[in-house]
Amino acid sequence: MENKENFILGLDVSTKTIGIALYKDIGEKGELIQLTHVTPKIKPLPKNKTQELFEKCNAFEEQFLNKYRDIGITKVIIEEPLLRSNNVNTVGTLLRFNGMISRSVYQKLGIVPEFISSFDARAFAFPELMDIRTHNKKGERYPEKEIQKKIDADKKTLFGGYDWYIDKKVVIWEKVADLYPQVTWLYNRNHALAKENYDMTDSVACVLGYMNKEKVWLAENRK
């Protein structure tokens, strides 16, 4: 009997762009097959925000799910919405749209999505980002005794080896770009990286982070 290929889909969902990473599961690691995004442009724009979200969800189905529903996707991993916002309406909109996309995945693919937090996605996808923080926000080094206590307790922090104000999305993009040099990235009119790239690389972190956290794919086997 011929072995059926299994594919794993990672989604980074925001109300503007959905980052998409499609992997082939080849045992202790995955092979990146497709890295793309859907940025729905709804015209005419509905006056009702919820209707707009429904239309964007339909666009995602048409532009991606319907095209890939029969290739053998067996697992879908979605990054949980980041709820650290003072704007309750923004949080509510993100949760609502995430739920809509999750339902579309279930209806179109027959798969109940798995979810992973942004922290776990990044920490498990790129464990080297976990490090002891040695300097405060002012750039001043902590006392050696305090640093040693952190070392003894193995108290590592995500992005601990970087400056406090580093652009974390750029760091993740750099990690993904190094891991997959074959990817062609998107640039805007000013020849700067387009924002859609960061949604795409976050979707990569979703898959790698989840599969490494579950000890299915091993970080050392990624290349």
Side-chain angles (χ1 to χ4, degrees):
M1 183 177 179
E2 183 179 354
N3 292 329
K4 183 180 179 181
E5 292 182 332
N6 295 323
F7 293 86
I8 297 175
L9 177 64
L11 301 175
D12 175 69
V13 179
S14 73
T15 55
K16 182 179 179 181
T17 298
I18 301 169
I20 302 168
L22 183 64
Y23 279 83
K24 181 190 292 186
D25 186 357
I26 52 176
E28 291 187 346
K29 63 180 180 178
E31 178 184 349
L32 182 64
I33 301 299
Q34 177 83 333
L35 183 58
T36 187
H37 70 94
V38 169
T39 303
K41 305 292 185 182
I42 308 303
K43 295 181 180 180
L45 192 65
K47 293 182 180 180
N48 185 286
K49 183 64 178 179
T50 301
Q51 182 182 349
E52 181 186 350
L53 295 180
F54 277 124
E55 294 294 336
K56 287 185 175 183
C57 196
N58 289 339
F60 171 64
E61 292 179 6
E62 294 172 4
Q63 295 177 37
F64 185 80
L65 287 182
N66 289 342
K67 295 178 180 179
Y68 289 84
R69 64 188 302 177
D70 297 323
I71 69 168
I73 296 174
T74 57
K75 187 182 293 292
V76 179
I77 303 150
I78 302 177
E79 183 177 292
E80 295 173 345
L82 189 61
L83 305 181
R84 296 175 186 173
S85 173
N86 294 326
N87 191 323
V88 177
N89 291 330
T90 298
V91 172
T93 300
L94 283 171
L95 287 171
R96 193 174 299 121
F97 191 52
N98 194 286
M100 291 178 181
I101 295 297
S102 299
R103 180 171 174 79
S104 287
V105 167
Y106 180 69
Q107 288 184 322
K108 294 294 183 178
L109 304 181
I111 297 171
V112 178
E114 305 287 348
F115 297 89
I116 188 169
S117 68
S118 173
F119 179 92
D120 281 354
R122 294 170 173 183
F124 284 95
F126 305 105
E128 65 272 18
L129 293 178
M130 299 296 295
D131 203 351
I132 301 294
R133 189 168 288 285
T134 58
H135 291 71
N136 63 23
K137 291 183 178 181
K138 295 181 180 180
E140 301 166 339
R141 188 174 176 84
Y142 291 123
E144 293 302 323
K145 287 185 178 180
E146 185 175 343
I147 294 174
Q148 190 59 51
K149 284 183 180 180
K150 292 181 181 180
I151 294 174
D152 293 341
D154 196 26
K155 194 175 180 179
K156 295 180 179 179
T157 303
L158 186 60
F159 300 104
Y162 292 82
D163 180 84
W164 277 89
Y165 303 103
I166 193 74
D167 190 329
K168 297 173 181 177
K169 285 187 174 293
V170 172
V171 173
I172 298 302
W173 174 81
E174 290 172 344
K175 290 291 182 181
V176 175
D178 179 64
L179 193 59
Y180 303 113
Q182 75 274 20
V183 173
T184 300
W185 300 103
L186 307 173
Y187 291 85
N188 59 28
R189 295 177 181 177
N190 299 320
H191 306 290
L193 277 172
K195 293 181 179 179
E196 289 83 358
N197 292 299
Y198 304 131
D199 299 284
M200 291 157 57
T201 52
D202 279 346
S203 68
V204 168
C206 280
V207 177
L208 296 182
Y210 181 90
M211 297 301 283
N212 196 28
K213 183 180 180 181
E214 296 297 313
K215 302 186 187 309
V216 181
W217 295 349
L218 305 178
E220 57 268 26
N221 292 335
R222 289 180 302 191
K223 288 190 175 183

